[in-house]
Amino acid sequence: MARLNYEANRQKTKVPMPELDPAERAQTFEEVALGYSEEEAVLEARRCIQCPDTPCVGGCPVGVPIPRFVEQVAQGNFARAYAIVKSANALPAICGRVCPQESQCEGQCTRGKNGEPVGIGRLERFASDWAFAHPEEAKGAMDELRAECAAGDELACSIWRGAEGAVSKDLAGKRVAVIGSGPASLTCAGELAKRGCDVTVFEALHKVGGVLTYGIPEFRLPKDLVAREVSKLGDNGVSFETNALVGKLYDIDELMDERGFDAVFVGTGAGLPGYLGIEGEGLNGVMVASELLTRVNLMKAYLFPEYETPVYAGKKCVVVGGGNVAMDAARTAKRLGADVTVVYRRGRDEMPARAEEVHHAEQEGIEFRLLTNPVRILGDENGWVSGVECVRMELGEPDASGRRRPQAVEGSEFVIGIDMLVMAVGSKSNPLIAKTTPGLDVTPRNLIVADERTCATSKPGVFAGGDAVIGAATVILAMGAGKRAAAGIAAYLTGE
Ligand code: FAD
Ligand code: SF4
């Protein structure tokens, strides 16, 4: 072990993540990244130099005590490492897989100044997967922490309470309705259940999980893993009503006045798809990414004929966009058998997708046409898409987002022949809740106005967080909001 430590400390790059072979995986929806073995995890954890000022923790929106859990992995105490992660992060197996670590914890890591940062996300995933595979040991670690806490160890108390919760007498029997079941809602529901509230989650779709279930593909985030996290909430007493579209079936006032909920959390996300607004969007074979991804992920169209969900899979597909949604749509279309080209109006450095997803897409043979913008979608005599006319772009001065504004190069139009086009150009908040909730302030873009610290809205007893408040963002930001909202709701219910 001493020898491993010696080598690990000098390693400038992360221990490589074992992955399915690119040629093989482009044919299957199986998970691409396979996860570290115990030995690989220990090696990677030993790259951490335990910085006293813990810059990585500052980069984590839910404040995972990163050096502390990484140290436990380095020492081979995997169950305790998991308890420490879990004390701050309700969904670590999910975050370890999908968080944009490069712009968060790993972006702040000292090791990243001279080489690659510590693979914090990979270690988080490892600890969670290990705990799932070793439930007895995971429970044992929690029992140990409880005993240490009872013996007066404050650090053990904070880890144990964070992971297991501490029921508050003042909250027992208080009823909270949580609308939507994405990461913001799941976190809020979990935190409130841990404090002793009676929580019911209302989800419009037939399955729980929000984007984790219907958006992010199986090959990046296996659905049984999401179901596992959801079932843990069920074990903690959270109940779920699916096929329950709030705003149609009942509105927020009815939930509070007639069904007796003391408080409501709105985590309805930003699932309304954006369009390009160009000629030809109504042609057959043109769709938004959420349609393709929902059919394939939530309704398992890729398992035809076992599942009878129809899905159109063209032979030559263009996906428009440069974010995670575009990468997921492109890699899904590839797995359905299409030759795929991603068209994005800015350059590689400006792509908002996680670096790893872009890298994986390239490995799988997806072509990228950067600095290219579609201006018109062309159709054949039967109303099917036959091509997309694009224009080349160049980058000008930075715009309000700080990114250089793309400008069309005059006379540079050209046509790509296709039989499928997928738009992944952003999404908006659904106006249903805003329209059916008197007294709830929203912005002109239908985003709910909520206090940053407590998530309280303009309507007493109603709290909101996640994409419904800040617009399409990330899983961890939604979870951070869910956690703050739970604290805000607890304070509201106890009259603090
Ligand atoms: P959501 O996850 O959108 O959940 C909202 C839920 O509310 C949905 O289930 C919806 O059906 C339900 N709902 C809506 N209206 C109602 C209503 N009126 N009544 C009842 N229920 C309702 N982020 C990352 O960090 N990393 C990634 O790799 C990543 N990849 C992504 C890939 C795709 C394809 C997409 C679409 C997003 C991705 N994101 C990623 C973004 C991330 O998933 C979201 O920021 C996050 O899920 C937002 O969480 P949320 O809880 O606010 O809402
Ligand atoms: Fe370890 Fe990096 Fe955090 Fe320093 S910044 S404690 S090296 S993970």
Side-chain angles (χ1 to χ4, degrees), residues 358-444:
V358 180
H359 173 62
H360 281 158
E362 280 171 335
Q363 279 184 328
E364 288 164 16
I366 286 162
E367 197 190 323
F368 284 78
R369 292 255 193 158
L370 302 176
L371 290 168
T372 302
N373 201 30
V375 289
R376 190 159 63 107
I377 307 171
L378 311 169
D380 66 16
E381 60 287 2
N382 298 317
W384 278 88
V385 59
S386 60
V388 55
E389 185 179 316
C390 298
V391 64
R392 296 217 166 80
M393 309 293 282
E394 58 189 11
L395 293 179
E397 293 301 309
D399 63 13
S401 72
R403 293 181 302 174
R404 291 174 67 197
R405 188 192 301 275
Q407 293 162 345
V409 177
E410 222 174 289
S412 64
E413 289 81 2
F414 66 100
V415 171
I416 309 176
I418 52 171
D419 57 4
M420 180 177 181
L421 184 136
V422 183
M423 292 176 272
V425 290
S427 60
K428 292 182 276 189
S429 185
N430 192 308
L432 182 62
I433 292 286
K435 278 188 183 156
T436 56
T437 315
L440 185 71
D441 286 353
V442 293
T443 69

Side-chain angles (χ1 to χ4, degrees), residues 74-95:
Q75 292 172 4
N77 301 327
F78 306 134
R80 198 169 181 102
Y82 172 69
I84 295 172
V85 178
K86 189 74 184 165
S87 69
N89 185 334
L91 308 170
I94 293 171
C95 289

Side-chain angles (χ1 to χ4, degrees), residues 317-368:
C317 172
V318 153
V319 175
V320 184
N324 285 320
V325 185
M327 295 309 113
D328 285 344
R331 297 171 69 198
T332 295
K334 178 83 186 174
R335 281 161 173 76
L336 293 174
D339 272 342
V340 184
T341 303
V342 169
V343 166
Y344 179 55
R345 64 196 182 124
R346 290 181 154 105
R348 172 79 187 241
D349 290 347
E350 289 77 25
M351 287 179 83
R354 290 178 81 220
E356 186 174 278
E357 308 315 327
V358 180
H359 173 62
H360 281 158
E362 280 171 335
Q363 279 184 328
E364 288 164 16
I366 286 162
E367 197 190 323
F368 284 78

Side-chain angles (χ1 to χ4, degrees), residues 294-315:
T294 305
R295 278 174 194 263
V296 171
N297 300 332
L298 183 66
M299 299 174 188
K300 297 206 165 42
Y302 68 94
L303 290 180
F304 184 85
E306 195 186 328
Y307 286 75
E308 289 180 352
T309 313
V311 65
Y312 175 69
K315 295 265 173 296

Side-chain angles (χ1 to χ4, degrees), residues 199-256:
V199 185
T200 305
V201 174
F202 295 88
E203 167 55 51
L205 297 172
H206 66 280
K207 275 211 177 138
V208 172
V211 169
L212 306 176
T213 299
Y214 77 78
I216 303 179
E218 179 79 14
F219 55 81
R220 258 197 329 123
L221 183 62
K223 300 307 154 217
D224 58 359
L225 194 145
V226 180
R228 185 173 96 197
E229 299 291 358
V230 170
S231 80
K232 273 193 214 148
L233 290 182
D235 296 344
N236 287 348
V238 175
S239 37
F240 294 92
E241 281 193 27
T242 49
N243 300 310
L245 181 62
V246 177
K248 285 277 184 218
L249 215 51
Y250 15 68
D251 58 32
I252 288 182
D253 282 336
E254 283 166 341
L255 285 176
M256 296 181 89

